Amino acid sequence: MQKLNRFLIVTVAMVLMFGLTESVKAATQVPLLTAGNFAVLGGSTVTNTGSSVLTGDLGVSAGSAITGFPPGTTSGTTHSNDAVAIQAQVDLTAAYINASGQACDHNLTGQDLGGKILTPGVYCFDSSAQLTGTLTLDGGGDLNAVFIFKMGSTLTTASGSKVSLINSAQSCHVFWQVGSSATLGTTTKFKGNILALTSITLNTGATINNGRALARNGAVTLDSNTITKSTCATSSDELTNGSVNETEVTSSDIKVKKTASDYKLNSGPKKVTFTYKVTNEGDVALSDISVKDDKCDDVKYDSGDSNNDNLLDVTEEWKYECTKKVKKTETNTVTAKGTANGERIKDTDTAKVTVSTPGLPNAGSNPDEADSSLWMQIMSWFSF
Amino acid sequence: MKILKRISLRILLIAILGGAIFVLALMVYFNFKQPVQNIAEPPADTASLVDKEVENINLPVRLKIPGIGVDAAIESLGLTAAGSMDTPKGPDNVAWYALGTRPGEQGSAVIAGHYGKWKNGQGSVFDDLHKLNKGDKLYIEDDKGMIITFVVRESRNYDPNADAIEVFSSDDERAHLNLITCEGIWNKAEKSFSQRLVIFADKE
């Protein structure tokens, strides 16, 4: 009996301890089941413009329309209201109910998520939620830390805003339960699984790396986005060795602006100097910069690489020049190219120089008016 | 009393006759008067004033063409509303096309002057431009007192509406000075002479 008692006591103690520790963690992992195979799952439609890249399956149900693929691409399988998509919606609904049923730890109604550093838990908004700037989720060293955000109505992120994960926080454990629709502003860098009742819209250049866009009833609308479905690392090695990649994909962007020393030549052909200013509008330095003008041959680098590393850094503005004799009215175009993230990107700009020659002067005087009477001539020298 | 009257009448008549002759003489003199006096060529040995390799070309203020007695002030002008080169208001000055090249700079500087008679019978500064020959010299004095010399190369006639690209610009790397005036027949309806005369000159 004593052995049994001891066993029971130990078991109860363990259960209690486990129960206690469990109850401290208010947010629990939301099981996605087959919905977890998808990067994008729509309810009514999925509509894409631009070269969106999805890693994961793409599907829709109960609607069946998926447009824009290509130019969009997906690494997985596309399911248009087939059995797989139907089952995924069932599993999404269960996941949505699971997330919305978890008790709220912190009510953030009316507060902007931007600038906050949050620890694991359930955060709720009575109506809408807004992110402007950077939201940091701190896993506290716990690979299993879960973050749940519940909102009564909309989720909106401002252009360029960002979700940042630190200290073992993982996208696969971040959930956004959206009571109506979610809208990510342009170039937002988002993380986590969006489970929306109605629709999800990603504006131009927004990314979810990693996470998912799963909409129950409405449309998922994409525009030049990347969405990589999240996977969970079970050891910290997987995070550091890259098996699970939580590092942000940086965007690359180049811009060139062209000006001319003279836009209007009034006396025929003349030498004009064109100046080109190239800037890096993305997050990552650009290499192999080339600047070419379609009507000016000798484009020369002038200045701008302040740290001399041969890379167009985000803070730098590189200046180039080209001089030519413009003989007749023409529009010429400059193309600037650079490489980052394994792709070669470019931008163009134009300048129009108008050349006109004046007409010959009317340098004659009317001899008729010179006919004068003798009297006029006398009067004229009187007025000397 | 009668003798006195007769004497004074004669004196009066002589006086009037003398006056008339005087007036006539004056008229004859002014009719044949040259518009300008003889202009001496600038002394070739005054090294500081004669043109040398000038990097900064200053504004032109006077044009001198001793061969045809021209010594004129230069006005700076631009375009008329119709897009033609503008002209000086009076007969004596010449006009430099200030939107273009300066005389002495690489390119073609352009100066225009009037041709023909004015209200009072006075002539215009470029009445004798057509008499210039190849090799004749033109001198520009700038606002710092420096002289730049140009040598006449050729002359050409143009219709008033001709394309003047070769008058206002050049493709070689040299400095040119082109002088424009009118010639031909006066067209009353157009209020213009029928031709334009251009003298092309190169910096010496």
PDB file of all heavy atoms in Angstrom, chain A residues 266-267 269 325 358-359 361-370 374 381, chain B residues 27 83 85 97 99-100 113-115 117-118 168-170 182 186 188 191 196:
ATOM      1  N   ASN A 266      18.298  77.072 -77.645  1.00  0.00           N
ATOM      2  CA  ASN A 266      17.694  78.069 -78.521  1.00  0.00           C
ATOM      3  C   ASN A 266      18.486  78.413 -79.751  1.00  0.00           C
ATOM      4  O   ASN A 266      18.008  79.149 -80.600  1.00  0.00           O
ATOM      5  CB  ASN A 266      17.476  79.373 -77.737  1.00  0.00           C
ATOM      6  CG  ASN A 266      16.301  79.255 -76.825  1.00  0.00           C
ATOM      7  OD1 ASN A 266      15.327  78.626 -77.166  1.00  0.00           O
ATOM      8  ND2 ASN A 266      16.402  79.839 -75.664  1.00  0.00           N
ATOM      9  N   SER A 267      19.737  77.980 -79.793  1.00  0.00           N
ATOM     10  CA  SER A 267      20.495  78.339 -80.981  1.00  0.00           C
ATOM     11  C   SER A 267      21.068  77.125 -81.645  1.00  0.00           C
ATOM     12  O   SER A 267      22.231  77.083 -81.979  1.00  0.00           O
ATOM     13  CB  SER A 267      21.629  79.298 -80.648  1.00  0.00           C
ATOM     14  OG  SER A 267      21.566  79.708 -79.362  1.00  0.00           O
ATOM     15  N   PRO A 269      22.254  73.069 -82.146  1.00  0.00           N
ATOM     16  CA  PRO A 269      22.969  72.032 -81.396  1.00  0.00           C
ATOM     17  C   PRO A 269      23.956  72.600 -80.373  1.00  0.00           C
ATOM     18  O   PRO A 269      24.585  73.629 -80.616  1.00  0.00           O
ATOM     19  CB  PRO A 269      23.732  71.270 -82.487  1.00  0.00           C
ATOM     20  CG  PRO A 269      22.944  71.490 -83.719  1.00  0.00           C
ATOM     21  CD  PRO A 269      22.351  72.847 -83.606  1.00  0.00           C
ATOM     22  N   LYS A 325      26.797  66.325 -77.529  1.00  0.00           N
ATOM     23  CA  LYS A 325      26.247  67.455 -78.273  1.00  0.00           C
ATOM     24  C   LYS A 325      24.882  67.017 -78.780  1.00  0.00           C
ATOM     25  O   LYS A 325      24.761  66.075 -79.554  1.00  0.00           O
ATOM     26  CB  LYS A 325      27.165  67.789 -79.450  1.00  0.00           C
ATOM     27  CG  LYS A 325      26.712  69.020 -80.198  1.00  0.00           C
ATOM     28  CD  LYS A 325      27.809  69.516 -81.109  1.00  0.00           C
ATOM     29  CE  LYS A 325      27.523  70.915 -81.574  1.00  0.00           C
ATOM     30  NZ  LYS A 325      28.635  71.500 -82.275  1.00  0.00           N
ATOM     31  N   PRO A 358      16.808  79.783 -84.162  1.00  0.00           N
ATOM     32  CA  PRO A 358      15.997  80.970 -84.429  1.00  0.00           C
ATOM     33  C   PRO A 358      15.895  81.241 -85.925  1.00  0.00           C
ATOM     34  O   PRO A 358      16.733  80.804 -86.714  1.00  0.00           O
ATOM     35  CB  PRO A 358      16.758  82.104 -83.754  1.00  0.00           C
ATOM     36  CG  PRO A 358      18.023  81.541 -83.274  1.00  0.00           C
ATOM     37  CD  PRO A 358      18.073  80.089 -83.510  1.00  0.00           C
ATOM     38  N   GLY A 359      14.843  81.956 -86.296  1.00  0.00           N
ATOM     39  CA  GLY A 359      14.733  82.401 -87.683  1.00  0.00           C
ATOM     40  C   GLY A 359      15.695  83.550 -87.930  1.00  0.00           C
ATOM     41  O   GLY A 359      16.157  84.201 -86.989  1.00  0.00           O
ATOM     42  N   PRO A 361      17.065  87.184 -88.707  1.00  0.00           N
ATOM     43  CA  PRO A 361      16.469  88.456 -88.291  1.00  0.00           C
ATOM     44  C   PRO A 361      16.015  89.273 -89.495  1.00  0.00           C
ATOM     45  O   PRO A 361      16.591  89.191 -90.577  1.00  0.00           O
ATOM     46  CB  PRO A 361      17.625  89.163 -87.576  1.00  0.00           C
ATOM     47  CG  PRO A 361      18.852  88.580 -88.180  1.00  0.00           C
ATOM     48  CD  PRO A 361      18.521  87.157 -88.539  1.00  0.00           C
ATOM     49  N   ASN A 362      14.982  90.088 -89.265  1.00  0.00           N
ATOM     50  CA  ASN A 362      14.511  90.991 -90.310  1.00  0.00           C
ATOM     51  C   ASN A 362      15.263  92.308 -90.156  1.00  0.00           C
ATOM     52  O   ASN A 362      14.785  93.247 -89.525  1.00  0.00           O
ATOM     53  CB  ASN A 362      13.000  91.195 -90.157  1.00  0.00           C
ATOM     54  CG  ASN A 362      12.435  92.028 -91.302  1.00  0.00           C
ATOM     55  OD1 ASN A 362      13.180  92.499 -92.170  1.00  0.00           O
ATOM     56  ND2 ASN A 362      11.132  92.221 -91.299  1.00  0.00           N
ATOM     57  N   ALA A 363      16.472  92.330 -90.698  1.00  0.00           N
ATOM     58  CA  ALA A 363      17.373  93.455 -90.425  1.00  0.00           C
ATOM     59  C   ALA A 363      17.387  94.469 -91.547  1.00  0.00           C
ATOM     60  O   ALA A 363      18.441  94.872 -92.031  1.00  0.00           O
ATOM     61  CB  ALA A 363      18.784  92.920 -90.179  1.00  0.00           C
ATOM     62  N   GLY A 364      16.199  94.888 -91.966  1.00  0.00           N
ATOM     63  CA  GLY A 364      16.161  95.880 -93.041  1.00  0.00           C
ATOM     64  C   GLY A 364      15.230  97.005 -92.675  1.00  0.00           C
ATOM     65  O   GLY A 364      14.335  96.840 -91.853  1.00  0.00           O
ATOM     66  N   SER A 365      15.451  98.174 -93.254  1.00  0.00           N
ATOM     67  CA  SER A 365      14.528  99.264 -92.955  1.00  0.00           C
ATOM     68  C   SER A 365      13.897  99.755 -94.242  1.00  0.00           C
ATOM     69  O   SER A 365      14.448  99.631 -95.322  1.00  0.00           O
ATOM     70  CB  SER A 365      15.264 100.386 -92.214  1.00  0.00           C
ATOM     71  OG  SER A 365      15.638 101.393 -93.100  1.00  0.00           O
ATOM     72  N   ASN A 366      12.721 100.281 -94.111  1.00  0.00           N
ATOM     73  CA  ASN A 366      11.851 100.613 -95.221  1.00  0.00           C
ATOM     74  C   ASN A 366      12.351 101.847 -95.976  1.00  0.00           C
ATOM     75  O   ASN A 366      12.321 102.940 -95.423  1.00  0.00           O
ATOM     76  CB  ASN A 366      10.442 100.885 -94.671  1.00  0.00           C
ATOM     77  CG  ASN A 366       9.435 101.121 -95.775  1.00  0.00           C
ATOM     78  OD1 ASN A 366       9.805 101.353 -96.916  1.00  0.00           O
ATOM     79  ND2 ASN A 366       8.180 101.081 -95.413  1.00  0.00           N
ATOM     80  N   PRO A 367      12.815 101.633 -97.179  1.00  0.00           N
ATOM     81  CA  PRO A 367      13.343 102.791 -97.903  1.00  0.00           C
ATOM     82  C   PRO A 367      12.269 103.807 -98.227  1.00  0.00           C
ATOM     83  O   PRO A 367      12.556 104.980 -98.371  1.00  0.00           O
ATOM     84  CB  PRO A 367      13.946 102.201 -99.188  1.00  0.00           C
ATOM     85  CG  PRO A 367      13.221 100.904 -99.369  1.00  0.00           C
ATOM     86  CD  PRO A 367      12.847 100.432 -98.007  1.00  0.00           C
ATOM     87  N   ASP A 368      10.995 103.367 -98.327  1.00  0.00           N
ATOM     88  CA  ASP A 368       9.922 104.330 -98.635  1.00  0.00           C
ATOM     89  C   ASP A 368       9.866 105.429 -97.593  1.00  0.00           C
ATOM     90  O   ASP A 368       9.664 106.577 -97.895  1.00  0.00           O
ATOM     91  CB  ASP A 368       8.558 103.633 -98.678  1.00  0.00           C
ATOM     92  CG  ASP A 368       8.463 102.695 -99.872  1.00  0.00           C
ATOM     93  OD1 ASP A 368       9.333 102.787-100.764  1.00  0.00           O
ATOM     94  OD2 ASP A 368       7.560 101.876 -99.893  1.00  0.00           O
ATOM     95  N   GLU A 369      10.059 105.000 -96.337  1.00  0.00           N
ATOM     96  CA  GLU A 369       9.988 105.988 -95.267  1.00  0.00           C
ATOM     97  C   GLU A 369      11.155 106.947 -95.335  1.00  0.00           C
ATOM     98  O   GLU A 369      11.141 107.990 -94.691  1.00  0.00           O
ATOM     99  CB  GLU A 369       9.956 105.299 -93.904  1.00  0.00           C
ATOM    100  CG  GLU A 369       8.623 104.588 -93.667  1.00  0.00           C
ATOM    101  CD  GLU A 369       8.572 103.923 -92.306  1.00  0.00           C
ATOM    102  OE1 GLU A 369       9.259 104.415 -91.386  1.00  0.00           O
ATOM    103  OE2 GLU A 369       7.876 102.922 -92.185  1.00  0.00           O
ATOM    104  N   ALA A 370      12.194 106.548 -96.089  1.00  0.00           N
ATOM    105  CA  ALA A 370      13.361 107.424 -96.173  1.00  0.00           C
ATOM    106  C   ALA A 370      13.151 108.539 -97.184  1.00  0.00           C
ATOM    107  O   ALA A 370      13.860 109.533 -97.171  1.00  0.00           O
ATOM    108  CB  ALA A 370      14.608 106.614 -96.535  1.00  0.00           C
ATOM    109  N   LEU A 374      12.559 118.036 -99.463  1.00  0.00           N
ATOM    110  CA  LEU A 374      13.677 118.931 -99.213  1.00  0.00           C
ATOM    111  C   LEU A 374      13.501 119.625 -97.875  1.00  0.00           C
ATOM    112  O   LEU A 374      14.429 119.784 -97.092  1.00  0.00           O
ATOM    113  CB  LEU A 374      13.756 119.959-100.359  1.00  0.00           C
ATOM    114  CG  LEU A 374      14.948 120.898-100.339  1.00  0.00           C
ATOM    115  CD1 LEU A 374      16.240 120.100-100.472  1.00  0.00           C
ATOM    116  CD2 LEU A 374      14.842 121.909-101.488  1.00  0.00           C
ATOM    117  N   TRP A 381      18.524 118.587 -90.353  1.00  0.00           N
ATOM    118  CA  TRP A 381      19.835 118.990 -89.859  1.00  0.00           C
ATOM    119  C   TRP A 381      19.726 120.157 -88.907  1.00  0.00           C
ATOM    120  O   TRP A 381      20.640 120.439 -88.153  1.00  0.00           O
ATOM    121  CB  TRP A 381      20.861 119.192 -90.980  1.00  0.00           C
ATOM    122  CG  TRP A 381      20.656 120.318 -91.965  1.00  0.00           C
ATOM    123  CD1 TRP A 381      20.219 120.209 -93.225  1.00  0.00           C
ATOM    124  CD2 TRP A 381      20.909 121.708 -91.753  1.00  0.00           C
ATOM    125  NE1 TRP A 381      20.181 121.401 -93.834  1.00  0.00           N
ATOM    126  CE2 TRP A 381      20.594 122.375 -92.967  1.00  0.00           C
ATOM    127  CE3 TRP A 381      21.392 122.477 -90.655  1.00  0.00           C
ATOM    128  CZ2 TRP A 381      20.729 123.758 -93.123  1.00  0.00           C
ATOM    129  CZ3 TRP A 381      21.518 123.847 -90.824  1.00  0.00           C
ATOM    130  CH2 TRP A 381      21.179 124.484 -92.046  1.00  0.00           C
TER     131      TRP A 381
ATOM    132  N   MET B  27      23.754 121.185 -97.239  1.00  0.00           N
ATOM    133  CA  MET B  27      22.970 120.020 -97.656  1.00  0.00           C
ATOM    134  C   MET B  27      23.829 119.054 -98.442  1.00  0.00           C
ATOM    135  O   MET B  27      23.791 117.852 -98.215  1.00  0.00           O
ATOM    136  CB  MET B  27      21.795 120.457 -98.531  1.00  0.00           C
ATOM    137  CG  MET B  27      20.582 120.866 -97.737  1.00  0.00           C
ATOM    138  SD  MET B  27      19.342 121.597 -98.813  1.00  0.00           S
ATOM    139  CE  MET B  27      19.172 120.307-100.032  1.00  0.00           C
ATOM    140  N   GLY B  83       9.835  84.002 -82.844  1.00  0.00           N
ATOM    141  CA  GLY B  83      10.909  83.016 -82.792  1.00  0.00           C
ATOM    142  C   GLY B  83      12.070  83.308 -83.710  1.00  0.00           C
ATOM    143  O   GLY B  83      12.917  82.443 -83.947  1.00  0.00           O
ATOM    144  N   MET B  85      15.510  85.761 -84.627  1.00  0.00           N
ATOM    145  CA  MET B  85      16.457  86.593 -83.882  1.00  0.00           C
ATOM    146  C   MET B  85      15.986  88.048 -83.944  1.00  0.00           C
ATOM    147  O   MET B  85      15.553  88.520 -85.001  1.00  0.00           O
ATOM    148  CB  MET B  85      17.840  86.464 -84.507  1.00  0.00           C
ATOM    149  CG  MET B  85      18.879  87.322 -83.833  1.00  0.00           C
ATOM    150  SD  MET B  85      20.471  87.125 -84.589  1.00  0.00           S
ATOM    151  CE  MET B  85      21.341  88.516 -83.859  1.00  0.00           C
ATOM    152  N   TYR B  97      23.234  87.935 -80.670  1.00  0.00           N
ATOM    153  CA  TYR B  97      22.244  86.965 -80.210  1.00  0.00           C
ATOM    154  C   TYR B  97      22.724  86.383 -78.881  1.00  0.00           C
ATOM    155  O   TYR B  97      23.530  85.457 -78.826  1.00  0.00           O
ATOM    156  CB  TYR B  97      22.054  85.860 -81.256  1.00  0.00           C
ATOM    157  CG  TYR B  97      20.986  84.858 -80.872  1.00  0.00           C
ATOM    158  CD1 TYR B  97      19.666  85.262 -80.639  1.00  0.00           C
ATOM    159  CD2 TYR B  97      21.289  83.509 -80.741  1.00  0.00           C
ATOM    160  CE1 TYR B  97      18.692  84.345 -80.272  1.00  0.00           C
ATOM    161  CE2 TYR B  97      20.306  82.583 -80.389  1.00  0.00           C
ATOM    162  CZ  TYR B  97      19.021  83.019 -80.151  1.00  0.00           C
ATOM    163  OH  TYR B  97      18.048  82.114 -79.793  1.00  0.00           O
ATOM    164  N   LEU B  99      21.364  84.643 -76.566  1.00  0.00           N
ATOM    165  CA  LEU B  99      20.973  83.295 -76.127  1.00  0.00           C
ATOM    166  C   LEU B  99      21.927  82.252 -76.684  1.00  0.00           C
ATOM    167  O   LEU B  99      21.837  81.081 -76.357  1.00  0.00           O
ATOM    168  CB  LEU B  99      19.543  82.971 -76.587  1.00  0.00           C
ATOM    169  CG  LEU B  99      18.438  83.851 -76.017  1.00  0.00           C
ATOM    170  CD1 LEU B  99      17.101  83.493 -76.646  1.00  0.00           C
ATOM    171  CD2 LEU B  99      18.350  83.696 -74.514  1.00  0.00           C
ATOM    172  N   GLY B 100      22.826  82.691 -77.526  1.00  0.00           N
ATOM    173  CA  GLY B 100      23.739  81.741 -78.163  1.00  0.00           C
ATOM    174  C   GLY B 100      25.157  81.917 -77.677  1.00  0.00           C
ATOM    175  O   GLY B 100      25.397  82.280 -76.527  1.00  0.00           O
ATOM    176  N   GLY B 113      22.745  93.411 -88.032  1.00  0.00           N
ATOM    177  CA  GLY B 113      22.677  94.873 -88.119  1.00  0.00           C
ATOM    178  C   GLY B 113      21.791  95.246 -89.298  1.00  0.00           C
ATOM    179  O   GLY B 113      21.596  94.456 -90.227  1.00  0.00           O
ATOM    180  N   HIS B 114      21.278  96.461 -89.252  1.00  0.00           N
ATOM    181  CA  HIS B 114      20.331  96.868 -90.296  1.00  0.00           C
ATOM    182  C   HIS B 114      20.994  97.238 -91.606  1.00  0.00           C
ATOM    183  O   HIS B 114      22.189  97.549 -91.670  1.00  0.00           O
ATOM    184  CB  HIS B 114      19.478  98.029 -89.802  1.00  0.00           C
ATOM    185  CG  HIS B 114      18.373  97.596 -88.906  1.00  0.00           C
ATOM    186  ND1 HIS B 114      17.309  96.835 -89.340  1.00  0.00           N
ATOM    187  CD2 HIS B 114      18.178  97.790 -87.578  1.00  0.00           C
ATOM    188  CE1 HIS B 114      16.510  96.586 -88.326  1.00  0.00           C
ATOM    189  NE2 HIS B 114      17.010  97.147 -87.241  1.00  0.00           N
ATOM    190  N   TYR B 115      20.158  97.168 -92.627  1.00  0.00           N
ATOM    191  CA  TYR B 115      20.552  97.572 -93.979  1.00  0.00           C
ATOM    192  C   TYR B 115      19.429  98.474 -94.503  1.00  0.00           C
ATOM    193  O   TYR B 115      18.257  98.208 -94.267  1.00  0.00           O
ATOM    194  CB  TYR B 115      20.682  96.333 -94.863  1.00  0.00           C
ATOM    195  CG  TYR B 115      20.792  96.626 -96.336  1.00  0.00           C
ATOM    196  CD1 TYR B 115      22.041  96.865 -96.913  1.00  0.00           C
ATOM    197  CD2 TYR B 115      19.662  96.655 -97.154  1.00  0.00           C
ATOM    198  CE1 TYR B 115      22.161  97.117 -98.268  1.00  0.00           C
ATOM    199  CE2 TYR B 115      19.778  96.916 -98.510  1.00  0.00           C
ATOM    200  CZ  TYR B 115      21.017  97.146 -99.060  1.00  0.00           C
ATOM    201  OH  TYR B 115      21.139  97.404-100.399  1.00  0.00           O
ATOM    202  N   LYS B 117      17.812 102.576 -95.816  1.00  0.00           N
ATOM    203  CA  LYS B 117      17.696 103.969 -95.408  1.00  0.00           C
ATOM    204  C   LYS B 117      16.617 104.146 -94.357  1.00  0.00           C
ATOM    205  O   LYS B 117      15.628 103.421 -94.350  1.00  0.00           O
ATOM    206  CB  LYS B 117      17.371 104.833 -96.636  1.00  0.00           C
ATOM    207  CG  LYS B 117      18.535 104.984 -97.581  1.00  0.00           C
ATOM    208  CD  LYS B 117      18.456 106.342 -98.285  1.00  0.00           C
ATOM    209  CE  LYS B 117      19.471 106.453 -99.396  1.00  0.00           C
ATOM    210  NZ  LYS B 117      20.827 106.116 -99.011  1.00  0.00           N
ATOM    211  N   TRP B 118      16.851 105.135 -93.523  1.00  0.00           N
ATOM    212  CA  TRP B 118      15.881 105.435 -92.469  1.00  0.00           C
ATOM    213  C   TRP B 118      15.137 106.713 -92.792  1.00  0.00           C
ATOM    214  O   TRP B 118      15.358 107.334 -93.823  1.00  0.00           O
ATOM    215  CB  TRP B 118      16.606 105.513 -91.118  1.00  0.00           C
ATOM    216  CG  TRP B 118      17.046 104.147 -90.688  1.00  0.00           C
ATOM    217  CD1 TRP B 118      18.060 103.437 -91.245  1.00  0.00           C
ATOM    218  CD2 TRP B 118      16.460 103.329 -89.708  1.00  0.00           C
ATOM    219  NE1 TRP B 118      18.157 102.213 -90.656  1.00  0.00           N
ATOM    220  CE2 TRP B 118      17.196 102.106 -89.701  1.00  0.00           C
ATOM    221  CE3 TRP B 118      15.416 103.487 -88.803  1.00  0.00           C
ATOM    222  CZ2 TRP B 118      16.892 101.066 -88.827  1.00  0.00           C
ATOM    223  CZ3 TRP B 118      15.120 102.431 -87.935  1.00  0.00           C
ATOM    224  CH2 TRP B 118      15.862 101.237 -87.960  1.00  0.00           C
ATOM    225  N   PHE B 168      23.640  79.557 -86.941  1.00  0.00           N
ATOM    226  CA  PHE B 168      23.630  79.663 -85.478  1.00  0.00           C
ATOM    227  C   PHE B 168      24.424  78.576 -84.782  1.00  0.00           C
ATOM    228  O   PHE B 168      24.618  78.652 -83.563  1.00  0.00           O
ATOM    229  CB  PHE B 168      22.187  79.653 -84.949  1.00  0.00           C
ATOM    230  CG  PHE B 168      21.451  80.926 -85.214  1.00  0.00           C
ATOM    231  CD1 PHE B 168      20.738  81.119 -86.375  1.00  0.00           C
ATOM    232  CD2 PHE B 168      21.494  81.962 -84.288  1.00  0.00           C
ATOM    233  CE1 PHE B 168      20.067  82.314 -86.628  1.00  0.00           C
ATOM    234  CE2 PHE B 168      20.824  83.165 -84.524  1.00  0.00           C
ATOM    235  CZ  PHE B 168      20.117  83.332 -85.693  1.00  0.00           C
ATOM    236  N   SER B 169      24.864  77.544 -85.502  1.00  0.00           N
ATOM    237  CA  SER B 169      25.639  76.510 -84.819  1.00  0.00           C
ATOM    238  C   SER B 169      26.674  75.945 -85.756  1.00  0.00           C
ATOM    239  O   SER B 169      26.585  76.063 -86.979  1.00  0.00           O
ATOM    240  CB  SER B 169      24.712  75.406 -84.330  1.00  0.00           C
ATOM    241  OG  SER B 169      24.161  74.737 -85.434  1.00  0.00           O
ATOM    242  N   SER B 170      27.685  75.321 -85.169  1.00  0.00           N
ATOM    243  CA  SER B 170      28.742  74.723 -85.982  1.00  0.00           C
ATOM    244  C   SER B 170      29.168  73.418 -85.350  1.00  0.00           C
ATOM    245  O   SER B 170      29.007  73.220 -84.155  1.00  0.00           O
ATOM    246  CB  SER B 170      29.940  75.670 -86.075  1.00  0.00           C
ATOM    247  OG  SER B 170      30.279  76.142 -84.793  1.00  0.00           O
ATOM    248  N   CYS B 182      20.239  92.435 -94.293  1.00  0.00           N
ATOM    249  CA  CYS B 182      19.311  92.169 -95.395  1.00  0.00           C
ATOM    250  C   CYS B 182      19.911  92.636 -96.703  1.00  0.00           C
ATOM    251  O   CYS B 182      20.849  93.423 -96.743  1.00  0.00           O
ATOM    252  CB  CYS B 182      17.985  92.897 -95.165  1.00  0.00           C
ATOM    253  SG  CYS B 182      17.090  92.226 -93.785  1.00  0.00           S
ATOM    254  N   TRP B 186      12.942  95.435-101.514  1.00  0.00           N
ATOM    255  CA  TRP B 186      12.004  95.669-100.426  1.00  0.00           C
ATOM    256  C   TRP B 186      10.614  95.212-100.831  1.00  0.00           C
ATOM    257  O   TRP B 186      10.092  95.581-101.861  1.00  0.00           O
ATOM    258  CB  TRP B 186      11.984  97.164-100.077  1.00  0.00           C
ATOM    259  CG  TRP B 186      11.042  97.485 -98.944  1.00  0.00           C
ATOM    260  CD1 TRP B 186       9.822  98.074 -99.039  1.00  0.00           C
ATOM    261  CD2 TRP B 186      11.246  97.214 -97.566  1.00  0.00           C
ATOM    262  NE1 TRP B 186       9.243  98.195 -97.811  1.00  0.00           N
ATOM    263  CE2 TRP B 186      10.093  97.687 -96.878  1.00  0.00           C
ATOM    264  CE3 TRP B 186      12.286  96.627 -96.826  1.00  0.00           C
ATOM    265  CZ2 TRP B 186       9.963  97.577 -95.483  1.00  0.00           C
ATOM    266  CZ3 TRP B 186      12.144  96.536 -95.450  1.00  0.00           C
ATOM    267  CH2 TRP B 186      10.983  97.011 -94.794  1.00  0.00           C
ATOM    268  N   LYS B 188       6.955  95.554 -99.851  1.00  0.00           N
ATOM    269  CA  LYS B 188       6.123  96.436 -99.018  1.00  0.00           C
ATOM    270  C   LYS B 188       5.144  95.650 -98.163  1.00  0.00           C
ATOM    271  O   LYS B 188       4.938  95.957 -96.991  1.00  0.00           O
ATOM    272  CB  LYS B 188       5.342  97.401 -99.919  1.00  0.00           C
ATOM    273  CG  LYS B 188       5.723  98.845 -99.755  1.00  0.00           C
ATOM    274  CD  LYS B 188       4.746  99.764-100.483  1.00  0.00           C
ATOM    275  CE  LYS B 188       5.387 101.139-100.662  1.00  0.00           C
ATOM    276  NZ  LYS B 188       4.663 102.001-101.569  1.00  0.00           N
ATOM    277  N   LYS B 191       6.961  93.920 -95.451  1.00  0.00           N
ATOM    278  CA  LYS B 191       7.799  94.874 -94.695  1.00  0.00           C
ATOM    279  C   LYS B 191       9.176  94.267 -94.448  1.00  0.00           C
ATOM    280  O   LYS B 191       9.692  94.236 -93.324  1.00  0.00           O
ATOM    281  CB  LYS B 191       7.143  95.247 -93.359  1.00  0.00           C
ATOM    282  CG  LYS B 191       5.923  96.106 -93.532  1.00  0.00           C
ATOM    283  CD  LYS B 191       5.713  97.030 -92.333  1.00  0.00           C
ATOM    284  CE  LYS B 191       4.563  97.972 -92.656  1.00  0.00           C
ATOM    285  NZ  LYS B 191       3.853  98.474 -91.555  1.00  0.00           N
ATOM    286  N   ARG B 196      18.392  87.579 -97.107  1.00  0.00           N
ATOM    287  CA  ARG B 196      19.263  87.828 -95.961  1.00  0.00           C
ATOM    288  C   ARG B 196      20.686  87.535 -96.411  1.00  0.00           C
ATOM    289  O   ARG B 196      20.924  86.567 -97.147  1.00  0.00           O
ATOM    290  CB  ARG B 196      18.919  86.912 -94.776  1.00  0.00           C
ATOM    291  CG  ARG B 196      17.470  87.009 -94.321  1.00  0.00           C
ATOM    292  CD  ARG B 196      17.190  88.323 -93.593  1.00  0.00           C
ATOM    293  NE  ARG B 196      15.767  88.426 -93.263  1.00  0.00           N
ATOM    294  CZ  ARG B 196      14.863  89.037 -94.022  1.00  0.00           C
ATOM    295  NH1 ARG B 196      15.207  89.606 -95.170  1.00  0.00           N
ATOM    296  NH2 ARG B 196      13.586  89.081 -93.654  1.00  0.00           N
TER     297      ARG B 196
END
